[in-house]
Amino acid sequence: MGNIIKVGVLCSGGDSPGMNAAIRAVVRTGIYHGLEISGIRRGYQGMIEGDIFKMKTTDVSNILQRGGTILKTARSKRFHD
């Protein structure tokens, strides 16, 4: 059995039109190819705080028409250093 490739998806902050479509594409394509996709809520701040969850295709169902991003965004001053 081989290693599982894991991919994390986050939105780093600022305007986010079209991000739900991008998130959906990453999740669906990744799962199709046998990857484990994790969503990181609130951008880099969520990465720092461990706000990470394994995503399933059901997590990205019916999100194309929604504005913004289902993962939320946040900037983090800790990543400027």
Side-chain angles (χ1 to χ4, degrees), residues 6-77:
K6 299 180 181 185
V7 175
V9 180
L10 65 82
C11 299
S12 64
D15 294 337
S16 59
M19 288 309 300
N20 281 337
I23 293 166
R24 180 178 179 266
V26 168
V27 171
R28 291 174 58 123
T29 302
I31 290 172
Y32 176 81
H33 289 286
L35 308 179
E36 183 177 306
I37 310 298
S38 295
I40 304 167
R41 292 185 189 96
R42 298 176 297 109
Y44 293 117
Q45 195 63 36
M47 186 184 305
I48 292 168
E49 295 174 3
D51 195 357
I52 302 167
F53 66 103
K54 185 175 177 180
M55 295 189 81
K56 304 175 296 292
T57 55
T58 55
D59 293 320
V60 295
S61 297
N62 300 312
I63 66 169
L64 293 179
Q65 69 280 5
R66 294 175 58 184
T69 166
I70 62 166
L71 294 176
K72 309 291 184 216
T73 64
R75 293 184 175 99
S76 174
K77 290 185 180 185

